Amino acid sequence: MKINSLLLATLLLGLPSAAIAQSESPSFAQFPAIVQDVKNIKVNLKSHRNANRFRTNLRNAAKDGVNFAGHFVFVSWGCGTNCAVSAIINARTGRVFFPQELEGTGFGFCEMPDEADPIVTRDNSRLLVINGYKGGDLESDDPTCGVYYFEWTGTKLRQVKFEKKERREAP
C-alpha cells in the first residue's frame, strides 16, 4: 500500500511539469503553496556563507513576513547597474538560500514589456519568474535574455521553462 501511495504521489508531482511543457507559459496557480503566518522570523546567519554579509537586508525582509511559496521570504537588492542579488529565507527554520540562478540577475537590455518586474513571486505559489537574465548570464560572452520560469523545491530552484526574448543592446 505504501508503494502505491508513493508511486501515486510521484506521478502527481510530475504532472505540473508535463502540463507546462504543453502550455504557453507556466502560471502561479500550477505551483500552489499553502500560505503560513509565521511570526518572529529569526534569520540563521550561519546557514549560508553570504548570510552574515547581507544580514541587514535579510533581517529587514524577515520583518515583513512570508511572501513566497507558503512559508518563505523572498528578498532582492541591487548590486549595481542592471544587477540584483536575491535570497530566500525559510521562515520556519531561518535557513537562508542564495540560489545561483538569482546571483546577479539582470533586468535591462532585454525586450520585455515596460510593466514587467525583474523578478516575480507570489506568497501562495512555488513559481518564481525572472524577466531578463538569470544569475551569471551577464558575465558570459553571450548572455541569453528572456523569461525564466523556476519552481522552488524548498531548497533550490528548478527551471521549468524558458521563453527567449531579443536583446535590445549589449549590457
Side-chain angles (χ1 to χ4, degrees), residues 82 100 103-106 109 132-146 148 162 164 167 169-171:
N82 188 40
Q100 183 178 4
E103 191 173 315
T105 55
F109 311 109
Y133 300 90
K134 69 180 169 104
D137 267 11
L138 288 175
E139 301 296 322
S140 73
D141 291 336
D142 188 27
T144 305
C145 76
Y148 293 84
F162 172 68
K164 186 173 180 170
R167 290 174 59 179
E169 56 187 86

Side-chain angles (χ1 to χ4, degrees), residues 53-54 57 76-86 102-107 135-136 138-139:
R53 180 177 175 198
F54 298 111
N57 291 343
S76 189
W77 57 90
C79 58
T81 303
N82 188 40
C83 179
V85 173
S86 304
L102 299 175
E103 191 173 315
T105 55
F107 45 87
L138 288 175
E139 301 296 322

Side-chain angles (χ1 to χ4, degrees), residues 36 38-48 50-52 54-77 85-99 102 121-123 125 128 152-157:
Q36 299 174 12
V38 182
K39 303 284 186 200
N40 302 320
I41 301 168
K42 184 171 171 66
V43 179
N44 181 346
L45 299 177
K46 294 181 180 181
S47 62
H48 191 279
N50 290 337
N52 192 51
F54 298 111
R55 64 186 170 275
T56 302
N57 291 343
L58 296 170
R59 286 177 175 157
N60 287 339
K63 289 177 189 175
D64 292 336
V66 171
N67 63 4
F68 176 55
H71 68 274
F72 291 88
V73 177
F74 175 82
V75 58
S76 189
W77 57 90
V85 173
S86 304
I88 299 170
I89 306 165
N90 183 324
R92 290 189 212 144
T93 66
R95 186 174 174 195
V96 182
F97 302 90
F98 285 86
L102 299 175
T121 64
R122 300 279 187 273
D123 62 349
S125 180
L128 181 143
W152 177 246
T153 68
T155 58
K156 64 182 179 178
L157 290 170

